[in-house]
Amino acid sequence: MSECELVVRGGTVVTGVDSFRADIGISGGRIVALAERLQGVTMIEAGGLLVLPGGVDSHCHIEQLQDNGGADEETWESGSTSALAGGTTTAITFSTQFKGRPIRDSLAEYRGRAARAMIDYSFHQIITDPTDAVIRDEIPEIVASGVRSLKVFLTYDPLRLDDRQYLRVLAAARRTGALVTVHCENYDAIKWRTEALLAAGHTSPKYHPWSRPRIVEREATYRAVALAELVDQPIQVFHVSCPEAAEEIARARARGVKVWGETCPQYVVLGADDMDRPGFEGAKFMCSPSPRDAPTREALWAEIARGVLDVVSSDHSGWSFEGARGKRTNGAEATFRDIPNGVPGLAARLPILFSEGVGKGRITLNEFVRLTATNAAKLFGLYPRKGSIAIGADADLVLWDPTRQVTITQALMQHAIDYTPYEGMQVTGWPVSVLRRGEVVMRDGTIQAPPGSGQFLARAPYDMIRPTGRMPDGFDASAFLA
Ligand code: URP
Ligand code: ZN
Ligand code: ZN
């Protein structure tokens, strides 16, 4: 065959199903050959290293627009830098609907900001106000533009939808061929417990998990899945924190419902006890659902290993610890109810999952690739372009040293947030360099991609999220209510 523009030579190629020694030939930004002894104009040595598909982070918040006209502190430049530092080359982030404003306007503004990305990207559209016009006109329009997934919240003011609103979004997604992703916690139960905790004087970050015990997540997961079953609309349950929620997903799957589960590094390595650190320190670990206890973390690993939770994303969220814009935005004495939720984790995602998962024998190397890249690419319609190492795929590659021992520090994360909840954590396994569409964009932690070199990934219809055709009484209510 003709000489490739670039060859990655001598590494162990790891996909979601195989591991094998091969050179990777790249031309025009794509993989064109997998063979022995390839020749390229440029050669990159990967001897002793694993060569993984670039990470696909299908749930992270980058420069997300806020209703006050501002945006998250994590910009597309800093977020891309952090992603590349940790081996992630593709991200799906969030465009928000603001009540009373056309979705297309905020989506256009968001796309404008994302034009400075250095990673490839797509969006989930958050639906907060499913008016008739949104259901009838706006959702079809944005899905047709390639934003083929919607996000809904069953809790959080002012984002949350009630059950009827959620049903209407499910039906709109079914009609237009989009996946619905769901934040599953019971709004009223959390509110009720929060009021009681505050009345009892339990205001510190430690009480955040008390306000949302696991049953609150199980109930909302069951309801989200049951209503999706009613409509026959596929969903993904975001950030599962406990085996009770995973159990609801597994039970639904067993009866043929198309539902997938995601978890995040914070739920397998952080704990509720982290929120009990002195002073305000616990706020650094506060996200929703809450990190739980050690037995719950082990149970989640088991759900990962048995495939119920088949995507591990970061849910990277842009709140600093110091300064007025972040965790202290409502003051240094804010109660747990008024502290912004979310933790940063774009760069830490792969190293933590590799070290704690593969390194400790909880998952295999191929499972690691599926969890961090392949499954998300498939579920969100990016596969086979993203998420694998195969002929024709984008040459998004991570050269990974499985033996390198690293202590995670804030400096290594390269994000705009001023802390990492994983500070001081020892990991084994680290990305040495990253290629994005055949270009070296990270080498030894130095980012070499110019702002604006990332590409928007418009997502076309795909089979994986096709409805099953099974509905109660065979009656498709979504076809009659737009
Ligand atoms: O606490 C979290 N997870 N914050 C980010 C927003 C969300 O709920 O995904
Ligand atoms: Zn959420
Ligand atoms: Zn999130």
Side-chain angles (χ1 to χ4, degrees):
M1 76 170 283
S2 58
E3 200 177 41
C4 301
E5 289 169 15
L6 174 68
V7 167
V8 176
R9 180 165 63 186
T12 298
V13 175
V14 187
T15 72
V17 286
D18 290 315
S19 309
F20 51 91
R21 292 292 294 274
D23 298 345
I24 303 176
I26 298 165
S27 288
R30 297 196 170 215
I31 297 169
V32 294
L34 288 166
E36 292 178 322
R37 288 182 289 282
L38 288 172
Q39 282 306 315
V41 178
T42 306
M43 305 290 285
I44 295 179
E45 295 301 328
L49 300 175
L50 304 177
V51 185
L52 314 173
V56 176
D57 193 340
S58 54
H59 178 172
C60 50
H61 303 267
I62 297 177
E63 207 166 332
Q64 192 167 312
L65 300 177
Q66 295 165 2
D67 55 4
N68 61 9
D72 283 0
E73 213 173 326
E74 197 69 81
T75 66
W76 275 99
E77 282 174 56
S78 60
S80 300
T81 300
S82 186
L84 294 174
T88 288
T89 48
T90 300
I92 310 182
T93 65
F94 295 87
S95 158
T96 310
Q97 178 196 9
F98 298 107
K99 291 182 185 176
R101 283 172 29 201
I103 294 177
R104 82 170 70 79
D105 291 359
S106 27
L107 182 57
E109 185 188 339
Y110 195 56
R111 277 198 69 163
R113 287 175 181 257
R116 294 195 60 75
M118 294 116 80
I119 51 176
D120 290 350
Y121 58 91
S122 189
F123 312 127
H124 309 289
Q125 177 62 50
I126 297 174
I127 303 295
T128 59
D129 190 16
T131 62
D132 289 351
V134 166
I135 294 294
R136 192 186 52 235
D137 305 322
E138 296 200 61
I139 289 179
E141 180 186 321
I142 55 151
V143 173
S145 77
V147 177
R148 201 159 282 279
S149 44
L150 309 175
K151 159 99 189 255
V152 298
F153 292 85
L154 301 186
T155 190
Y156 285 148
D157 280 321
L159 304 173
R160 72 119 183 174
L161 303 187
D162 64 26
D163 289 350
R164 182 169 174 278
Q165 291 174 314
Y166 172 51
L167 283 165
R168 277 163 61 82
V169 173
L170 289 170
R174 189 176 197 279
R175 284 191 296 273
T176 51
L179 184 68
V180 176
T181 62
V182 194
H183 181 125
C184 294
E185 293 183 290
N186 182 300
Y187 171 81
D188 284 305
I190 293 170
K191 198 163 182 218
W192 177 70
R193 278 188 65 93
T194 298
E195 282 161 1
L197 285 163
L198 298 184
H202 296 330
T203 59
S204 68
K206 159 186 173 173
Y207 294 104
H208 180 263
W210 292 36
S211 70
R212 51 216 327 126
R214 295 181 294 188
I215 185 69
V216 161
E217 192 180 339
R218 181 203 277 276
E219 185 282 332
T221 303
Y222 170 74
R223 185 162 33 97
V225 170
L227 297 183
E229 183 176 5
L230 181 68
V231 179
D232 182 32
Q233 165 57 34
I235 62 168
Q236 188 196 37
V237 178
F238 267 170
H239 41 48
V240 172
S241 78
C242 60
E244 289 83 350
E247 186 182 47
E248 296 305 329
I249 295 170
R251 276 168 10 112
R253 278 189 175 181
R255 57 181 195 268
V257 181
K258 285 180 114 169
V259 51
W260 293 270
E262 169 215 75
T263 191
C264 315
Q266 50 270 39
Y267 299 114
V268 291
V269 299
L270 299 180
D273 50 350
D274 285 313
M275 273 169 278
D276 194 17
R277 297 197 190 186
F280 202 65
E281 190 75 9
K284 287 184 176 173
F285 305 89
M286 186 183 289
C287 54
S288 293
S290 289
R292 314 255 178 218
D293 58 10
T296 305
R297 293 196 287 279
E298 274 319 313
L300 272 191
W301 279 112
E303 298 294 350
I304 291 172
R306 74 186 182 110
V308 175
L309 305 177
D310 62 359
V311 168
V312 177
S313 67
S314 69
D315 194 5
H316 178 92
S317 292
W319 308 106
S320 277
F321 186 62
E322 302 293 347
R325 282 184 68 196
K327 294 279 184 185
R328 292 182 218 259
T329 192
N330 292 312
E333 299 300 318
T335 72
F336 70 82
R337 184 187 55 193
D338 300 318
I339 298 170
N341 282 203
V343 295
L346 264 170
R349 181 177 72 110
L350 267 64
I352 288 176
L353 202 73
F354 185 89
S355 189
E356 291 292 313
V358 181
K360 297 195 174 167
R362 291 167 165 138
I363 54 173
T364 67
L365 197 47
N366 306 106
E367 282 168 336
F368 169 76
V369 168
R370 292 205 292 275
L371 288 159
T372 55
T374 317
N375 289 349
K378 286 183 174 173
L379 185 59
F380 290 101
L382 297 169
Y383 188 86
R385 180 172 172 192
K386 302 293 186 186
S388 193
I389 297 178
I391 306 294
D394 279 359
D396 296 343
L397 303 172
V398 184
L399 276 55
W400 187 273
D401 182 347
T403 62
R404 189 179 293 187
Q405 296 185 323
V406 174
T407 302
I408 294 182
T409 60
Q410 161 65 2
L412 286 174
M413 299 295 96
Q414 301 199 48
H415 50 213
I417 313 305
D418 64 358
Y419 80 98
T420 169
Y422 307 111
E423 187 75 40
M425 188 176 166
Q426 315 271 337
V427 290
T428 302
W430 198 256
V432 174
S433 51
V434 173
L435 282 73
R436 185 215 55 207
R437 283 178 275 108
E439 279 179 59
V440 178
V441 285
M442 188 281 271
R443 183 173 281 146
D444 290 326
T446 301
I447 309 304
Q448 303 174 353
S453 55
Q455 287 183 357
F456 173 66
L457 302 166
R459 292 178 281 141
Y462 55 107
D463 276 349
M464 190 159 173
I465 60 166
R466 190 181 293 180
T468 67
R470 287 190 301 275
M471 281 152 293
D473 310 312
F475 176 65
D476 180 7
S478 65
F480 291 89
L481 292 174

